[in-house]
Amino acid sequence: MKIGITGTGSYLPEIITKNDDFLNHRFLATDGSEFEHSNSTIIEKFKAITGIEERRYAKPELKTSDLGFLAAEKAIEDAGIDKEDLDYIIFAHNFGDVTHGKIQGDTLPSLATRVKHLLKIKNTSCVAYDMLFGCPGWIEGVIQAKAFIQSGMAKKCLVIGGETLSRVIDPHDRDSMIYSDGAGACIIEADSDSGEIIRHASQTHANGEAYYLYFDRTYDQEGCSDTRYIKMDGRKIYEFACTHVPQAMADCLNDSGIEIDEVKKIFIHQANEKMDEAIIKRFYKIYGKEAPTKVMPMIIQEMGNNSVATVPILFDRIRKGKVENHGVQKGDVVIFASVGAGMNINAIVYRY
């Protein structure tokens, strides 16, 4: 039984925030002190490392569940299925619905339930639940959907990855420039004419690595001590990802029986351009090879890092010819891979 992706959809918010929009921000060090460098220098170094030139923020009236709904509508239409035939809706996110201007995340009801409500699905046997797995959440949702179908528990699943990280960032933290908003979705089915999930693998590293990403107070020591924002130890994450992700991808590929030279594209979490380049370089080094040009499409330049949404948005845009000089053809072998809070890693070897 071939289980694969039969439809995709994505939603990129309309508010574009460029790097220059941060020139007047008051960035502070972790101890609350001022930086000796100007914001223009900070931003220049930031772009050189991350590759990010601009990012997307959601309109105030839209929440994460709304973005997920808009992406889901497109995926359902693309797959040409009846929404009432869905057996599962899996929504991967990290912070729930955060209302613009508020500080509290809302997960009651679940975001998957909210999407089912917005889609107006009447079928009560369509089960909706949320996935909390850090940035690799969408890929993990796809893995679970595949398992449901393979076991006979489902025939069609909707998997969504969405986030509004712009609402959980400390404006005084330089890392706030990384994060963005967006959503991507796909339909998973058993369909002989669609692609095929050949192999998958997942890991959780929590023996000392669990709090590389965490919630903590603002760097502005005069700010509200009760408010928490997304924080990360960037250096440790970089070292962790470069050490563990290449081997995890190689293990998954080796178990699939597919040769490295058959891999046409790697859809990796759009977290940091330099980090992703290092991961791919080390992945190919395992096989004694140089990474092919154009094997790793990147859209982080225009999108920023919207966590669980990066991989499904990237895949959807490439499927639909929206990324210059990149595409996929029927029969191509591709790899999906991600790393994030947990610390979690996962990968899928997929034949398109």
Side-chain angles (χ1 to χ4, degrees):
M1 176 176 17
K2 290 184 178 180
I3 300 172
I5 297 170
T6 59
T8 59
S10 61
Y11 177 78
L12 279 176
E14 298 175 11
I15 299 174
I16 298 175
T17 303
K18 298 182 180 294
N19 287 352
D20 284 351
D21 293 326
F22 292 91
L23 284 171
N24 294 321
H25 271 53
R26 183 172 175 250
F27 292 124
L28 301 172
T30 56
D31 62 0
S33 62
E34 302 278 350
F35 286 109
E36 62 180 38
H37 301 297
S38 67
N39 277 10
S40 60
T41 300
I42 291 172
I43 292 168
E44 183 180 348
K45 290 182 177 180
F46 166 83
K47 181 182 178 298
I49 295 171
T50 66
I52 298 172
E53 299 175 10
E54 60 186 41
R55 70 286 294 143
R56 302 293 188 101
Y57 292 163
K59 289 183 176 181
E61 64 269 22
L62 295 177
K63 300 177 183 179
T64 302
S65 57
D66 297 312
L67 307 190
F69 160 68
L70 293 167
E73 276 192 319
K74 295 177 182 178
I76 291 168
E77 180 181 4
D78 189 46
I81 66 167
D82 184 343
K83 62 187 179 183
E84 296 293 338
D85 290 337
L86 287 171
D87 298 296
Y88 280 90
I89 299 174
I90 305 170
F91 199 135
H93 63 89
N94 294 294
F95 303 104
D97 274 354
V98 182
T99 302
H100 181 76
K102 305 294 183 181
I103 62 171
Q104 188 174 25
D106 180 3
T107 54
L108 185 65
S110 72
L111 270 58
T113 296
R114 298 177 194 212
V115 169
K116 181 178 179 180
H117 171 76
L118 291 168
L119 288 170
K120 299 180 180 179
I121 294 174
K122 298 178 181 178
N123 175 15
T124 55
S125 295
C126 173
V127 177
Y129 72 92
D130 288 0
M131 163 71 69
L132 296 177
F133 200 70
C135 294
W138 178 81
I139 292 178
E140 199 66 20
V142 170
I143 291 170
Q144 289 194 358
K146 184 249 188 185
F148 287 146
I149 295 170
Q150 195 168 25
S151 69
M153 292 173 60
K155 293 182 179 180
K156 302 179 194 302
C157 299
L158 166 63
V159 183
I160 306 165
E163 202 66 84
T164 50
L165 294 179
S166 66
R167 299 173 187 176
V168 292
I169 53 178
D170 175 6
H172 302 292
D173 187 344
R174 290 175 299 178
D175 291 338
S176 65
M177 293 188 286
I178 293 173
Y179 301 114
S180 63
D181 307 339
C186 73
I187 302 297
I188 307 292
E189 299 183 71
D191 184 341
S192 59
D193 294 327
S194 72
E196 179 183 8
I197 298 169
I198 301 172
R199 195 73 179 180
H200 58 82
S202 303
Q203 300 176 358
T204 296
H205 296 248
N207 184 12
E209 306 91 348
Y211 290 94
Y212 287 177
L213 279 146
Y214 56 97
F215 246 28
D216 207 351
R217 68 188 301 274
T218 176
Y219 290 160
D220 179 8
Q221 297 188 357
E222 296 179 358
C224 178
S225 61
D226 294 329
T227 304
R228 295 293 185 268
Y229 304 91
I230 184 173
K231 298 289 181 179
M232 68 176 180
D233 190 324
R235 181 172 294 279
K236 287 184 178 180
I237 292 172
Y238 186 98
E239 293 172 352
F240 172 88
C242 291
T243 300
H244 295 286
V245 176
Q247 189 60 57
M249 292 167 59
D251 290 344
C252 187
L253 181 63
N254 294 341
D255 289 344
S256 75
I258 301 292
E259 297 295 327
I260 182 67
D261 290 335
E262 294 182 62
V263 176
K264 301 299 183 185
K265 296 289 180 188
I266 298 174
F267 299 104
I268 194 166
H269 169 47
Q270 309 284 286
N272 175 314
E273 187 173 51
K274 293 298 183 185
M275 185 179 82
D276 288 349
E277 288 173 350
I279 290 171
I280 300 305
K281 182 179 180 179
R282 294 188 185 194
F283 169 62
Y284 275 91
K285 188 176 181 180
I286 293 171
Y287 297 92
K289 296 179 178 292
E290 296 287 334
T293 58
K294 299 182 181 178
V295 73
M296 183 187 70
M298 293 291 291
I299 59 173
I300 194 172
Q301 302 91 338
E302 64 185 71
M303 185 176 71
N305 176 354
N306 44 39
S307 186
V308 291
T310 68
V311 175
I313 289 174
L314 175 64
F315 184 53
D316 177 58
R317 289 178 70 80
I318 286 182
R319 279 187 75 234
K320 295 173 181 175
K322 295 182 179 180
V323 179
E324 190 175 357
N325 298 321
H326 286 284
V328 284
Q329 305 295 325
K330 189 171 179 60
D332 283 355
V333 173
V334 304
I335 296 175
F336 299 101
S338 188
V339 57
M343 289 290 290
N344 297 319
I345 299 171
N346 53 18
I348 294 174
V349 177
Y350 187 83
R351 190 181 300 278
Y352 184 68

mmCIF file of all heavy atoms in Angstrom, residues 311-347:
data_model
loop_
_atom_site.group_PDB
_atom_site.id
_atom_site.type_symbol
_atom_site.label_atom_id
_atom_site.label_comp_id
_atom_site.label_asym_id
_atom_site.label_seq_id
_atom_site.Cartn_x
_atom_site.Cartn_y
_atom_site.Cartn_z
ATOM 1 N N VAL A 311 8.530 23.624 6.566
ATOM 2 C CA VAL A 311 8.649 22.520 5.602
ATOM 3 C C VAL A 311 7.400 22.382 4.733
ATOM 4 O O VAL A 311 7.513 22.285 3.503
ATOM 5 C CB VAL A 311 8.992 21.202 6.311
ATOM 6 C CG1 VAL A 311 8.989 20.041 5.316
ATOM 7 C CG2 VAL A 311 10.359 21.297 6.984
ATOM 8 N N PRO A 312 6.182 22.375 5.303
ATOM 9 C CA PRO A 312 5.009 22.264 4.421
ATOM 10 C C PRO A 312 4.828 23.449 3.481
ATOM 11 O O PRO A 312 4.364 23.271 2.354
ATOM 12 C CB PRO A 312 3.829 22.133 5.395
ATOM 13 C CG PRO A 312 4.325 22.691 6.684
ATOM 14 C CD PRO A 312 5.785 22.350 6.731
ATOM 15 N N ILE A 313 5.192 24.660 3.918
ATOM 16 C CA ILE A 313 5.117 25.816 3.016
ATOM 17 C C ILE A 313 6.115 25.653 1.878
ATOM 18 O O ILE A 313 5.787 25.863 0.701
ATOM 19 C CB ILE A 313 5.377 27.133 3.779
ATOM 20 C CG1 ILE A 313 4.203 27.470 4.704
ATOM 21 C CG2 ILE A 313 5.610 28.284 2.799
ATOM 22 C CD1 ILE A 313 4.458 28.692 5.586
ATOM 23 N N LEU A 314 7.335 25.276 2.212
ATOM 24 C CA LEU A 314 8.374 25.082 1.203
ATOM 25 C C LEU A 314 7.956 24.029 0.183
ATOM 26 O O LEU A 314 8.060 24.250 -1.039
ATOM 27 C CB LEU A 314 9.684 24.665 1.882
ATOM 28 C CG LEU A 314 10.857 24.300 0.976
ATOM 29 C CD1 LEU A 314 11.305 25.504 0.149
ATOM 30 C CD2 LEU A 314 12.011 23.750 1.801
ATOM 31 N N PHE A 315 7.481 22.898 0.656
ATOM 32 C CA PHE A 315 7.077 21.813 -0.242
ATOM 33 C C PHE A 315 5.914 22.238 -1.135
ATOM 34 O O PHE A 315 5.912 21.980 -2.342
ATOM 35 C CB PHE A 315 6.699 20.578 0.578
ATOM 36 C CG PHE A 315 6.367 19.373 -0.255
ATOM 37 C CD1 PHE A 315 7.242 18.910 -1.233
ATOM 38 C CD2 PHE A 315 5.181 18.680 -0.057
ATOM 39 C CE1 PHE A 315 6.940 17.789 -1.997
ATOM 40 C CE2 PHE A 315 4.856 17.565 -0.817
ATOM 41 C CZ PHE A 315 5.742 17.115 -1.787
ATOM 42 N N ASP A 316 4.934 22.910 -0.554
ATOM 43 C CA ASP A 316 3.782 23.354 -1.339
ATOM 44 C C ASP A 316 4.199 24.328 -2.433
ATOM 45 O O ASP A 316 3.768 24.206 -3.583
ATOM 46 C CB ASP A 316 2.756 24.024 -0.411
ATOM 47 C CG ASP A 316 1.558 24.586 -1.169
ATOM 48 O OD1 ASP A 316 0.878 23.819 -1.874
ATOM 49 O OD2 ASP A 316 1.324 25.813 -1.073
ATOM 50 N N ARG A 317 5.053 25.269 -2.091
ATOM 51 C CA ARG A 317 5.459 26.277 -3.066
ATOM 52 C C ARG A 317 6.297 25.656 -4.201
ATOM 53 O O ARG A 317 6.171 26.065 -5.360
ATOM 54 C CB ARG A 317 6.222 27.401 -2.362
ATOM 55 C CG ARG A 317 5.322 28.267 -1.482
ATOM 56 C CD ARG A 317 6.083 29.341 -0.751
ATOM 57 N NE ARG A 317 6.577 30.389 -1.632
ATOM 58 C CZ ARG A 317 5.844 31.394 -2.107
ATOM 59 N NH1 ARG A 317 4.564 31.486 -1.789
ATOM 60 N NH2 ARG A 317 6.390 32.312 -2.887
ATOM 61 N N ILE A 318 7.115 24.689 -3.882
ATOM 62 C CA ILE A 318 7.902 24.048 -4.929
ATOM 63 C C ILE A 318 7.022 23.156 -5.799
ATOM 64 O O ILE A 318 7.169 23.138 -7.032
ATOM 65 C CB ILE A 318 9.077 23.265 -4.309
ATOM 66 C CG1 ILE A 318 10.134 24.263 -3.827
ATOM 67 C CG2 ILE A 318 9.676 22.267 -5.304
ATOM 68 C CD1 ILE A 318 11.367 23.653 -3.241
ATOM 69 N N ARG A 319 6.101 22.441 -5.194
ATOM 70 C CA ARG A 319 5.158 21.629 -5.981
ATOM 71 C C ARG A 319 4.406 22.478 -7.001
ATOM 72 O O ARG A 319 4.098 22.020 -8.108
ATOM 73 C CB ARG A 319 4.111 20.963 -5.063
ATOM 74 C CG ARG A 319 4.558 19.707 -4.362
ATOM 75 C CD ARG A 319 3.381 19.068 -3.649
ATOM 76 N NE ARG A 319 2.479 18.390 -4.574
ATOM 77 C CZ ARG A 319 1.178 18.617 -4.663
ATOM 78 N NH1 ARG A 319 0.599 19.532 -3.899
ATOM 79 N NH2 ARG A 319 0.438 17.941 -5.516
ATOM 80 N N LYS A 320 4.119 23.708 -6.614
ATOM 81 C CA LYS A 320 3.287 24.574 -7.457
ATOM 82 C C LYS A 320 4.100 25.585 -8.258
ATOM 83 O O LYS A 320 3.567 26.563 -8.779
ATOM 84 C CB LYS A 320 2.243 25.266 -6.576
ATOM 85 C CG LYS A 320 1.274 24.241 -5.970
ATOM 86 C CD LYS A 320 0.326 24.831 -4.946
ATOM 87 C CE LYS A 320 -0.583 23.731 -4.383
ATOM 88 N NZ LYS A 320 -1.457 24.222 -3.297
ATOM 89 N N GLY A 321 5.417 25.339 -8.362
ATOM 90 C CA GLY A 321 6.269 26.147 -9.228
ATOM 91 C C GLY A 321 6.486 27.565 -8.781
ATOM 92 O O GLY A 321 6.721 28.454 -9.607
ATOM 93 N N LYS A 322 6.449 27.802 -7.452
ATOM 94 C CA LYS A 322 6.573 29.164 -6.942
ATOM 95 C C LYS A 322 7.967 29.491 -6.405
ATOM 96 O O LYS A 322 8.177 30.569 -5.851
ATOM 97 C CB LYS A 322 5.529 29.397 -5.846
ATOM 98 C CG LYS A 322 4.090 29.346 -6.366
ATOM 99 C CD LYS A 322 3.091 29.618 -5.258
ATOM 100 C CE LYS A 322 1.665 29.598 -5.794
ATOM 101 N NZ LYS A 322 0.664 29.857 -4.718
ATOM 102 N N VAL A 323 8.904 28.553 -6.562
ATOM 103 C CA VAL A 323 10.286 28.793 -6.128
ATOM 104 C C VAL A 323 11.181 28.679 -7.359
ATOM 105 O O VAL A 323 11.281 27.626 -7.979
ATOM 106 C CB VAL A 323 10.727 27.795 -5.042
ATOM 107 C CG1 VAL A 323 12.174 28.061 -4.635
ATOM 108 C CG2 VAL A 323 9.807 27.879 -3.830
ATOM 109 N N GLU A 324 11.827 29.771 -7.699
ATOM 110 C CA GLU A 324 12.629 29.829 -8.917
ATOM 111 C C GLU A 324 13.753 28.799 -8.894
ATOM 112 O O GLU A 324 14.429 28.601 -7.887
ATOM 113 C CB GLU A 324 13.215 31.234 -9.071
ATOM 114 C CG GLU A 324 13.879 31.491 -10.411
ATOM 115 C CD GLU A 324 14.334 32.928 -10.563
ATOM 116 O OE1 GLU A 324 14.084 33.735 -9.642
ATOM 117 O OE2 GLU A 324 14.952 33.235 -11.603
ATOM 118 N N ASN A 325 13.933 28.137 -10.031
ATOM 119 C CA ASN A 325 15.008 27.161 -10.248
ATOM 120 C C ASN A 325 14.862 25.891 -9.415
ATOM 121 O O ASN A 325 15.830 25.149 -9.232
ATOM 122 C CB ASN A 325 16.381 27.786 -9.971
ATOM 123 C CG ASN A 325 16.683 28.944 -10.903
ATOM 124 O OD1 ASN A 325 16.368 28.904 -12.087
ATOM 125 N ND2 ASN A 325 17.285 29.998 -10.357
ATOM 126 N N HIS A 326 13.672 25.631 -8.902
ATOM 127 C CA HIS A 326 13.439 24.406 -8.137
ATOM 128 C C HIS A 326 12.108 23.780 -8.557
ATOM 129 O O HIS A 326 11.132 24.491 -8.838
ATOM 130 C CB HIS A 326 13.413 24.679 -6.637
ATOM 131 C CG HIS A 326 14.757 24.941 -6.050
ATOM 132 N ND1 HIS A 326 15.672 23.946 -5.805
ATOM 133 C CD2 HIS A 326 15.348 26.102 -5.670
ATOM 134 C CE1 HIS A 326 16.768 24.475 -5.287
ATOM 135 N NE2 HIS A 326 16.606 25.783 -5.188
ATOM 136 N N GLY A 327 12.078 22.460 -8.569
ATOM 137 C CA GLY A 327 10.858 21.743 -8.887
ATOM 138 C C GLY A 327 11.026 20.275 -8.537
ATOM 139 O O GLY A 327 12.124 19.806 -8.226
ATOM 140 N N VAL A 328 9.913 19.540 -8.580
ATOM 141 C CA VAL A 328 9.940 18.097 -8.363
ATOM 142 C C VAL A 328 9.144 17.424 -9.471
ATOM 143 O O VAL A 328 8.140 17.967 -9.948
ATOM 144 C CB VAL A 328 9.371 17.706 -6.981
ATOM 145 C CG1 VAL A 328 10.358 17.997 -5.886
ATOM 146 C CG2 VAL A 328 8.045 18.407 -6.703
ATOM 147 N N GLN A 329 9.626 16.250 -9.872
ATOM 148 C CA GLN A 329 8.976 15.466 -10.906
ATOM 149 C C GLN A 329 8.504 14.139 -10.325
ATOM 150 O O GLN A 329 9.074 13.645 -9.343
ATOM 151 C CB GLN A 329 9.947 15.201 -12.067
ATOM 152 C CG GLN A 329 10.566 16.446 -12.678
ATOM 153 C CD GLN A 329 9.548 17.337 -13.359
ATOM 154 O OE1 GLN A 329 8.578 16.842 -13.957
ATOM 155 N NE2 GLN A 329 9.755 18.645 -13.282
ATOM 156 N N LYS A 330 7.482 13.566 -10.923
ATOM 157 C CA LYS A 330 6.962 12.280 -10.448
ATOM 158 C C LYS A 330 8.087 11.249 -10.451
ATOM 159 O O LYS A 330 8.818 11.106 -11.422
ATOM 160 C CB LYS A 330 5.809 11.808 -11.329
ATOM 161 C CG LYS A 330 5.079 10.599 -10.770
ATOM 162 C CD LYS A 330 3.817 10.300 -11.552
ATOM 163 C CE LYS A 330 3.089 9.075 -11.005
ATOM 164 N NZ LYS A 330 2.677 9.240 -9.613
ATOM 165 N N GLY A 331 8.241 10.567 -9.330
ATOM 166 C CA GLY A 331 9.284 9.563 -9.195
ATOM 167 C C GLY A 331 10.522 10.054 -8.477
ATOM 168 O O GLY A 331 11.368 9.249 -8.072
ATOM 169 N N ASP A 332 10.640 11.374 -8.290
ATOM 170 C CA ASP A 332 11.803 11.926 -7.582
ATOM 171 C C ASP A 332 11.821 11.462 -6.126
ATOM 172 O O ASP A 332 10.782 11.430 -5.454
ATOM 173 C CB ASP A 332 11.783 13.458 -7.594
ATOM 174 C CG ASP A 332 12.219 14.054 -8.921
ATOM 175 O OD1 ASP A 332 12.638 13.283 -9.812
ATOM 176 O OD2 ASP A 332 12.140 15.291 -9.068
ATOM 177 N N VAL A 333 13.009 11.137 -5.636
ATOM 178 C CA VAL A 333 13.189 10.832 -4.220
ATOM 179 C C VAL A 333 13.614 12.111 -3.502
ATOM 180 O O VAL A 333 14.558 12.787 -3.922
ATOM 181 C CB VAL A 333 14.252 9.740 -4.001
ATOM 182 C CG1 VAL A 333 14.535 9.561 -2.503
ATOM 183 C CG2 VAL A 333 13.791 8.429 -4.603
ATOM 184 N N VAL A 334 12.900 12.450 -2.437
ATOM 185 C CA VAL A 334 13.211 13.641 -1.655
ATOM 186 C C VAL A 334 13.275 13.249 -0.186
ATOM 187 O O VAL A 334 12.782 12.191 0.217
ATOM 188 C CB VAL A 334 12.176 14.766 -1.863
ATOM 189 C CG1 VAL A 334 12.047 15.119 -3.341
ATOM 190 C CG2 VAL A 334 10.811 14.371 -1.298
ATOM 191 N N ILE A 335 13.893 14.113 0.600
ATOM 192 C CA ILE A 335 13.952 13.909 2.045
ATOM 193 C C ILE A 335 13.338 15.116 2.735
ATOM 194 O O ILE A 335 13.644 16.261 2.391
ATOM 195 C CB ILE A 335 15.405 13.719 2.531
ATOM 196 C CG1 ILE A 335 16.014 12.447 1.936
ATOM 197 C CG2 ILE A 335 15.462 13.656 4.063
ATOM 198 C CD1 ILE A 335 17.488 12.256 2.289
ATOM 199 N N PHE A 336 12.466 14.857 3.703
ATOM 200 C CA PHE A 336 11.979 15.889 4.616
ATOM 201 C C PHE A 336 12.755 15.725 5.919
ATOM 202 O O PHE A 336 12.914 14.603 6.403
ATOM 203 C CB PHE A 336 10.485 15.733 4.906
ATOM 204 C CG PHE A 336 9.594 15.838 3.714
ATOM 205 C CD1 PHE A 336 9.066 14.701 3.111
ATOM 206 C CD2 PHE A 336 9.259 17.073 3.179
ATOM 207 C CE1 PHE A 336 8.226 14.790 2.003
ATOM 208 C CE2 PHE A 336 8.426 17.175 2.076
ATOM 209 C CZ PHE A 336 7.909 16.028 1.489
ATOM 210 N N ALA A 337 13.220 16.819 6.493
ATOM 211 C CA ALA A 337 13.972 16.718 7.746
ATOM 212 C C ALA A 337 13.767 17.961 8.583
ATOM 213 O O ALA A 337 13.609 19.062 8.051
ATOM 214 C CB ALA A 337 15.464 16.517 7.463
ATOM 215 N N SER A 338 13.797 17.778 9.911
ATOM 216 C CA SER A 338 13.621 18.929 10.800
ATOM 217 C C SER A 338 14.279 18.667 12.147
ATOM 218 O O SER A 338 14.530 17.526 12.532
ATOM 219 C CB SER A 338 12.132 19.231 11.000
ATOM 220 O OG SER A 338 11.950 20.438 11.713
ATOM 221 N N VAL A 339 14.540 19.755 12.845
ATOM 222 C CA VAL A 339 15.106 19.713 14.184
ATOM 223 C C VAL A 339 14.504 20.865 14.974
ATOM 224 O O VAL A 339 14.260 21.941 14.432
ATOM 225 C CB VAL A 339 16.650 19.813 14.145
ATOM 226 C CG1 VAL A 339 17.106 21.084 13.437
ATOM 227 C CG2 VAL A 339 17.253 19.750 15.541
ATOM 228 N N GLY A 340 14.251 20.648 16.258
ATOM 229 C CA GLY A 340 13.677 21.734 17.047
ATOM 230 C C GLY A 340 13.475 21.355 18.496
ATOM 231 O O GLY A 340 13.974 20.325 18.972
ATOM 232 N N ALA A 341 12.709 22.196 19.180
ATOM 233 C CA ALA A 341 12.524 22.094 20.627
ATOM 234 C C ALA A 341 12.216 20.675 21.057
ATOM 235 O O ALA A 341 11.422 19.979 20.440
ATOM 236 C CB ALA A 341 11.418 23.043 21.077
ATOM 237 N N GLY A 342 12.903 20.278 22.136
ATOM 238 C CA GLY A 342 12.675 18.922 22.631
ATOM 239 C C GLY A 342 13.884 18.291 23.320
ATOM 240 O O GLY A 342 13.748 17.813 24.407
ATOM 241 N N MET A 343 15.066 18.180 22.666
ATOM 242 C CA MET A 343 15.285 18.511 21.249
ATOM 243 C C MET A 343 14.865 17.316 20.387
ATOM 244 O O MET A 343 15.273 16.187 20.649
ATOM 245 C CB MET A 343 16.762 18.816 21.008
ATOM 246 C CG MET A 343 17.230 20.137 21.626
ATOM 247 S SD MET A 343 16.552 21.605 20.809
ATOM 248 C CE MET A 343 17.408 21.584 19.241
ATOM 249 N N ASN A 344 14.084 17.607 19.383
ATOM 250 C CA ASN A 344 13.544 16.575 18.510
ATOM 251 C C ASN A 344 14.134 16.658 17.108
ATOM 252 O O ASN A 344 14.428 17.747 16.616
ATOM 253 C CB ASN A 344 12.020 16.710 18.421
ATOM 254 C CG ASN A 344 11.344 16.488 19.760
ATOM 255 O OD1 ASN A 344 11.724 15.600 20.510
ATOM 256 N ND2 ASN A 344 10.347 17.289 20.073
ATOM 257 N N ILE A 345 14.293 15.495 16.505
ATOM 258 C CA ILE A 345 14.771 15.375 15.126
ATOM 259 C C ILE A 345 13.873 14.365 14.422
ATOM 260 O O ILE A 345 13.476 13.362 15.024
ATOM 261 C CB ILE A 345 16.224 14.852 15.072
ATOM 262 C CG1 ILE A 345 17.187 15.800 15.772
ATOM 263 C CG2 ILE A 345 16.675 14.620 13.631
ATOM 264 C CD1 ILE A 345 18.589 15.218 15.936
ATOM 265 N N ASN A 346 13.549 14.607 13.163
ATOM 266 C CA ASN A 346 12.891 13.566 12.383
ATOM 267 C C ASN A 346 13.187 13.729 10.896
ATOM 268 O O ASN A 346 13.702 14.757 10.452
ATOM 269 C CB ASN A 346 11.373 13.504 12.636
ATOM 270 C CG ASN A 346 10.659 14.823 12.458
ATOM 271 O OD1 ASN A 346 11.171 15.749 11.838
ATOM 272 N ND2 ASN A 346 9.475 14.930 13.021
ATOM 273 N N ALA A 347 12.897 12.668 10.161
ATOM 274 C CA ALA A 347 13.164 12.659 8.719
ATOM 275 C C ALA A 347 12.224 11.693 8.036
ATOM 276 O O ALA A 347 11.782 10.696 8.638
ATOM 277 C CB ALA A 347 14.613 12.279 8.442
#
